[in-house]
Amino acid sequence: MRRIEKRVGSSIWLTIVSFAISFFSLSAIPFSQNLTDTGQKIPSFMIAAIFWFFLIWGFLLTFLTKRRQQTVRKKLKSMGLIRAHQPPGIISFSSNPFSIILYVAFLIEIILIVSDLIFHWVPGYIMFPIISVTLFTFMLHCVVDGENYKVYQVIKKGMDQNHEHKGE
């Protein structure tokens, strides 16, 4: 079980890192536009390639994590430790403090983006990092409220409880 915990945990972290690289690559767009004005298009293509490669890689890792957890997930469902039919993380919401912080941050970021679309008050070199953080926050919500992470938490909690009982 410990091996499964490590494998799934590292897969989830790799997914988060992959999406982070993808979304934060968007922050480089204003700088690449300056180079594009001088006739150099390679930086723009590199940003696009980084964005799409790591975005697709993140989705692939999410899918592979779900496949790796398949037998453990069935066992946890039969034991009643996780719900049989959970909605995907994109439409699932939790009341833990970290999730609430994510929801509030995401709401503030959306308000910033929408108000900039209306009033054009934020310069582009600042707006692209805001967009990157907004996408990253949304992705964190999807991961943390998603089934893969919930299964990982149950596995980890079970491992922690087993270690406590062995120490007694």
Side-chain angles (χ1 to χ4, degrees), residues 110-127:
I110 291 294
I111 290 170
L112 279 171
I113 292 171
V114 170
S115 69
D116 180 62
L117 287 172
I118 295 169
F119 301 113
H120 305 288
W121 62 281
V122 179
Y125 65 90
I126 294 175
M127 185 48 67

Side-chain angles (χ1 to χ4, degrees), residues 49-65:
I50 290 169
F51 173 81
W52 286 107
F53 175 79
F54 283 100
L55 183 69
I56 292 168
W57 184 248
F59 284 125
L60 183 63
L61 284 171
T62 301
F63 174 75
L64 291 174
T65 302

Side-chain angles (χ1 to χ4, degrees), residues 66-82:
K66 186 171 184 164
R67 293 280 308 243
R68 281 185 180 161
Q69 291 180 341
Q70 201 164 13
T71 56
V72 174
R73 185 185 322 263
K74 286 179 184 177
K75 186 176 181 179
L76 293 175
K77 285 179 182 178
S78 69
M79 294 170 66
L81 295 173
I82 59 172

Side-chain angles (χ1 to χ4, degrees), residues 84-153:
H85 299 286
Q86 290 185 341
I90 196 168
I91 57 173
S92 178
F93 299 95
S94 302
S95 60
N96 67 58
F98 182 70
S99 292
I100 291 172
I101 291 169
L102 283 176
Y103 306 148
V104 170
F106 183 71
L107 182 64
I108 291 169
E109 294 156 2
I110 291 294
I111 290 170
L112 279 171
I113 292 171
V114 170
S115 69
D116 180 62
L117 287 172
I118 295 169
F119 301 113
H120 305 288
W121 62 281
V122 179
Y125 65 90
I126 294 175
M127 185 48 67
F128 278 97
I130 290 172
I131 291 170
S132 296
V133 170
T134 304
L135 290 171
F136 184 70
T137 304
F138 180 72
M139 179 277 309
L140 277 177
H141 149 66
C142 292
V143 170
V144 170
D145 291 332
E147 189 175 10
N148 289 343
Y149 189 75
K150 289 177 182 172
V151 169
Y152 170 70
Q153 289 291 36

Side-chain angles (χ1 to χ4, degrees), residues 22-38:
S22 174
F23 298 142
F24 286 107
S25 71
L26 297 176
S27 296
I29 288 176
F31 305 109
S32 74
Q33 287 178 336
N34 292 341
L35 294 172
T36 304
D37 293 342
T38 63

Side-chain angles (χ1 to χ4, degrees), residues 150-163:
K150 289 177 182 172
V151 169
Y152 170 70
Q153 289 291 36
V154 170
I155 293 169
K156 187 175 177 172
K157 200 179 284 184
M159 291 302 299
D160 291 342
Q161 288 173 354
N162 286 340
H163 285 292

